[in-house]
Amino acid sequence: DVKVTQSSRYLVKRTGEKVFLECVQDMDHENMFWYRQDPGLGLRLIYFSYDVKMKEKGDIPEGYSVSREKKERFSLILESASTNQTSMYLCASSLGTVGGYTFGSGTRLTVV
Amino acid sequence: AQSVTQLGSHVSVSEGALVLLRCNYSSSVPPYLFWYVQYPNQGLQLLLKYTSAATLVKGINGFEAEFKKSETSFHLTKPSAHMSDAAEYFCAVTFHSNFNKFYFGSGTKLNVKP
């Protein structure tokens, strides 16, 4: 079964820490995405990547960065975590437009 | 600008009743439309998709949706709700020239009463 795997389901970090969220897909997909999900706001795109070492800002990139050194791995980095970054983070990948996204199970991050 | 609007953040139906979840989109180019379902503490799972073929699309778990260009709608329906349908549902739109970037609605939580 094809998969998008997020390394942690639950994470608790302190304010000011540097946080890494990892996402790995085994489908040889070109496109990968990071979203955050908050009640009442739906999913908001943080960053996406359509190729190795390529990245594009989404709608809410402030306070985040990403890294894609290999095709299968897309990392989200919180440079200095803040409490307003407490959220559910969802990684997704896709091969093209028609197939839609495959999502990971999500990482619920709490910043205290 | 492209966007998706889901009417009703919460919908409650009785078991066995019709499920209707509304989605309207705004687009200047032909859209591709999707419905996803999310169960508690899980990622999103694809229910069905419209990609410019048949306008009535059937998905998993007995759900279907109809693309109506004149109404810019893509409402999700199921004839008879089951308790296991209780979840949050997201409508999404994308476009061929958009690097597969999706725009999601804010979601509708479906509650199914026994």
Side-chain angles (χ1 to χ4, degrees), chain A residues 9 37 94 96-98 101 104, chain B residues 32 36 38 41 43 49 100 102:
Chain A
R9 290 299 305 274
Q37 182 181 13
S94 73
T97 303
V98 174
Y101 284 1
Chain B
Y32 298 154
Y36 285 85
Q38 185 180 35
N41 295 314
K49 60 184 179 182
N100 199 215
F102 277 41

Side-chain angles (χ1 to χ4, degrees), chain A residues 25 28-32 49-52 68 71 94-95:
Chain A
Q25 50 98 359
D28 202 33
H29 284 175
E30 296 170 345
N31 306 319
M32 296 188 74
S49 168
Y50 52 88
D51 202 352
V52 175
R68 193 164 181 202
K71 190 174 187 179
S94 73
L95 182 59

Side-chain angles (χ1 to χ4, degrees), chain B:
Chain B
Q2 295 78 24
S3 67
V4 174
T5 302
Q6 290 183 240
L7 291 175
S9 59
H10 291 80
V11 170
S12 187
V13 300
S14 298
E15 192 173 19
L18 171 72
V19 175
L20 171 61
L21 304 182
R22 298 179 185 274
C23 173
N24 288 87
Y25 68 92
S26 172
S27 169
S28 56
V29 297
Y32 298 154
L33 294 155
F34 299 77
W35 275 100
Y36 285 85
V37 61
Q38 185 180 35
Y39 298 102
N41 295 314
Q42 294 188 25
L44 278 69
Q45 177 184 359
L46 180 64
L47 265 182
L48 49 79
K49 60 184 179 182
Y50 166 76
T51 55
S52 74
T55 57
L56 182 62
V57 180
K58 295 186 184 299
I60 62 171
N61 301 337
F63 284 92
E64 63 182 38
E66 186 172 10
F67 171 65
K68 292 187 176 180
K69 184 178 178 180
S70 60
E71 299 177 9
T72 61
S73 69
F74 190 57
H75 302 330
L76 181 71
T77 61
K78 182 174 181 177
S80 177
H82 192 272
M83 296 298 291
S84 61
D85 294 327
E88 190 161 18
Y89 293 80
F90 292 91
C91 183
V93 64
T94 190
F95 313 93
H96 185 68
S97 60
N98 201 37
F99 291 114
N100 199 215
K101 178 180 172 182
F102 277 41
Y103 299 86
F104 285 87
S106 55
T108 298
K109 284 190 176 176
L110 176 66
N111 178 47
V112 182
K113 300 174 289 186

